[in-house]
Amino acid sequence: MRKKWFQLLGTIIIAVSLTGCGNILTESSFDSEKEEDDFYTVNMVIIGKEQRDEARIETAMNKILEKEVGARIDIICLPFSTYSQQLQIMMAGNEKLDLVPVMRENAMGYISGGQIRELSGLIDSYGNNIKAVLEKDMVKVSSVGEFVYGVPIEREYFLDTAIMMRKDLVEKYNIDTSNIHSLEDCEDAFRIIQKNEPKMKILLGNKDTGLFGNILYGVDMMLDGYGVLENGGQSTNVVNLYECDQFVNLVKTAHDFYEKGYVDKEILTSTDTISTVMQAGNGFAYLSSWKPSVEAEQTAVMGRDMIAVKIQDCDAFNSSDLVSWLSWGIAENSENPEKAMQVLDCLYNNEELVNLLDWGQKDVDYRVIDEDNGIIAYPEGMDAVTTGYHLSQYWELPMKYDHYIWEGYSREDMDEERKLDKTVMSSNAVGFMYNFSELTDEITALNDIKRAYLPLIVSGVADPEKILPEFNQKLYEAGLQKVMDEKQRQFNEWYTGRSVS
């Protein structure tokens, strides 16, 4: 089996292999006596930390893949901090590449550069498991016009928001969370912490996305925020986010909290992440997207028990950005896209294969502590340092809900997330992706303005009464209205076509 290689000299070559569980090709289709070179190796790029015993896991996965679809896999891990740049270099070159993670914001660049394949026909021919796992409307939702660029992963598609607070401090000071329904409602809790823990950083954020990210606006961002749909995407009118009442009220609250000392005065200069501050015991609260498993997830990340209180004004909703936030595509450089799709399809069905990819081998890299609920933990005496394989990247793998889950999470939470995916309201823009290839100059100018102004606004540092009018004026001067008009035109055309069909 060929192992992955890296060349760093302006070129980074990465190869990954996954092979889809054959409901098109049967087990008898393949000769168990085939020579190694007779099996196509699917190169699969994973966003994650390279694993010491990766070869051992590939060998175990290949026993399944050779039998099921007559292929092998080569896993190539790229760190989250640099994967986008590395993957772009790889796809722009001539290196053999098969399955690749496609973030929504990168899709147009890959399409216009001719770097990924259109998948509609491959899904129809080899995607039986994909079509069984995903809702019908979701199978080909990762598309621009008629170009299907990826297969969305099974994950939580809904958007809701919570304030995360340290459980020990909430209990210590008897903070009543039952009356917290909005960011403004958090002030009493912040005041208590400020009085009793004067050295504590109360409401945390970061220098780039401030306090909110994109999680508390109650809008469908429609990819880039330059024109959004309000009220959880229930509107059909594309409007300027930065003039929406929800946004204006939030940043006014943020500035008020900053002036009162609830927001870290060094939010725009500190390089510490939220997790760094929380793990050191120096922070109290921060905003997070909400899902049933968020307390378990954030407790594991922050190294201390956290509680979540939902604070989003509108009901939870499926947004266009979350549904196709990450999809699995096939690179134009693939030498056998049919085999790549078969491997991908297998990952939407074969629990053993996905468990190997995510967690490693049973009783070697993990042990089962609750068979009925599929909960696992490290083997006795082992941890993240000593185990040879612990990818733990369930958030990007095709099948989230039906393989093992790590201790601290509950099967009930997973089942509730799957239920919410199918029952919350959906934005009118789910499945819509606008083509901005003719707007690159405007988008570049808007991005420059946003980078200069938005951190000051969403961190609470700047007074929105003074800075918002200037910010919006510069956006319009840079072409915001032109972008919104084109987005509205494309959306109207797409939405009308969807209604007719």
Side-chain angles (χ1 to χ4, degrees), residues 75-121:
I75 302 166
I76 300 163
C77 291
L78 300 179
F80 195 93
S81 59
T82 60
Y83 94 90
S84 183
Q85 298 91 330
Q86 289 178 299
L87 183 57
Q88 176 62 49
I89 293 172
M90 292 164 56
M91 293 202 298
N94 296 318
E95 297 81 24
K96 174 181 165 304
L97 201 60
D98 298 290
L99 294 174
V100 294
V102 181
M103 290 291 191
R104 182 172 165 85
E105 63 267 24
N106 296 331
M108 270 302 304
Y110 296 156
I111 294 170
S112 61
Q115 295 165 342
I116 54 178
R117 293 176 179 264
E118 202 283 322
L119 301 184
S120 185

Side-chain angles (χ1 to χ4, degrees), residues 88 91 102-116 142-145 147 149 222-224 432-440 443 490:
Q88 176 62 49
M91 293 202 298
V102 181
M103 290 291 191
R104 182 172 165 85
E105 63 267 24
N106 296 331
M108 270 302 304
Y110 296 156
I111 294 170
S112 61
Q115 295 165 342
I116 54 178
S142 298
S143 61
V144 179
F147 191 103
Y149 63 80
M222 302 181 82
L223 180 64
D224 53 21
F432 171 72
M433 173 83 158
Y434 86 111
N435 185 338
F436 54 85
S437 59
E438 301 299 318
L439 299 165
T440 53
I443 297 296
Q490 292 184 29

